[in-house]
Amino acid sequence: MELKMEANAELKNNNRLVHYLFKKEERVHKLIISLLLLSLIAGVETTLLLYSADQKGMNVLNGMSISEIGATSFAINTIVMGALGLLVTFIIQILIVCLLFLVLKERPVNIKGICQAVINAGICIVIGSGVNAIIALLVKSKETTFTSLSLLVHDKNSILHTFMAEFELFYIVSLILFSYSLEKLALIKRRNAWIITIVIALVSLVFHMLTVASGTYLK
């Protein structure tokens, strides 16, 4: 009896999560608040990752230390940097998806559904970043991503390391959720939803590799 009650409670919680992710939102301001909130959380996670990397001797602050920058300035700058980085990524992703909708002749363009799909994928990415930030604080390894295949590559400065970092558990889940959300919330054909998802993933891969190569992004 007790096991049955626990199973029912778990099922109810799962249903709430599904309802939250796939409920069509009519109010634009709630979507905007969600984007801003996720971006702010990402900013805090960026601060934790950079702090951890600095404590391990990784050169992520252009040769300066937190003590030289000042703890307050470091926190403010990194939070803003991380938050703006994810927010700009959200905006670019929404614009690209809208363009792909037109290319694939999916009209009218369901902007609210697209925003919700981006938010759903963003939730996965933020959760993954949080998990990696916590692990980075607890272990001594000079890594910033512990849930990707990059752990199998010993040369941290190689292109292969950067490429393998794209095969990250939470990111892959976010792509699956993104495609499913486009289908259910933006009312797009399943085939086209996967085409858009693959294009977004390829654009992300190229952008990630370019920014890592330029030294402006953590591997």
Side-chain angles (χ1 to χ4, degrees), residues 19-202:
H19 179 73
Y20 172 78
L21 291 175
F22 298 107
K23 177 185 177 182
K24 293 180 181 179
E25 183 56 65
E26 298 298 331
R27 299 180 181 180
V28 177
H29 74 274
K30 285 189 176 182
L31 296 175
I32 295 174
I33 291 173
S34 296
L35 289 173
L36 293 175
L37 183 60
L38 285 174
S39 298
L40 179 60
I41 295 172
V44 174
E45 291 170 346
T46 300
T47 300
L48 293 176
L49 279 173
L50 289 174
Y51 171 79
S52 172
D54 179 71
Q55 296 302 301
K56 296 172 185 176
M58 299 170 67
N59 183 20
V60 293
L61 300 174
N62 296 321
M64 299 181 69
S65 64
I66 295 178
S67 58
E68 291 174 311
I69 299 174
T72 302
S73 296
F74 166 77
I76 293 174
N77 290 335
T78 51
I79 288 174
V80 170
M81 178 182 69
L84 287 178
L86 187 60
L87 184 59
V88 169
T89 300
F90 281 150
I91 294 172
I92 292 175
Q93 187 171 347
I94 290 170
L95 292 175
I96 292 175
V97 176
C98 287
L99 178 61
L100 290 172
F101 258 60
L102 295 175
V103 171
L104 294 170
K105 298 180 181 180
E106 289 279 356
R107 298 177 185 178
V109 177
N110 190 333
I111 297 180
K112 288 181 181 178
I114 293 171
C115 288
Q116 283 187 266
V118 170
I119 289 171
N120 285 353
I123 290 172
C124 273
I125 292 172
V126 168
I127 291 174
S129 297
V131 170
N132 281 285
I134 292 172
I135 296 175
L137 290 170
L138 297 176
V139 303
K140 296 181 179 180
S141 175
K142 290 186 178 182
E143 274 282 355
T144 55
T145 305
F146 299 87
T147 54
S148 77
L149 294 182
S150 62
L151 288 175
L152 303 176
V153 182
H154 297 294
D155 185 359
K156 308 303 180 186
N157 298 314
S158 66
I159 295 178
L160 179 60
H161 182 276
T162 303
F163 178 74
M164 296 300 278
E166 290 298 303
F167 294 91
E168 196 271 330
L169 175 62
F170 290 95
Y171 179 60
I172 292 173
V173 172
S174 77
L175 290 177
I176 296 172
L177 182 59
F178 178 64
S179 177
Y180 189 73
S181 297
L182 283 178
E183 181 185 349
K184 297 301 180 181
L185 297 172
L187 306 178
I188 186 174
K189 298 174 185 175
R190 180 173 298 179
R191 172 178 170 273
N192 289 346
W194 273 110
I195 290 174
I196 291 174
T197 301
I198 291 170
V199 171
I200 291 292
L202 291 175

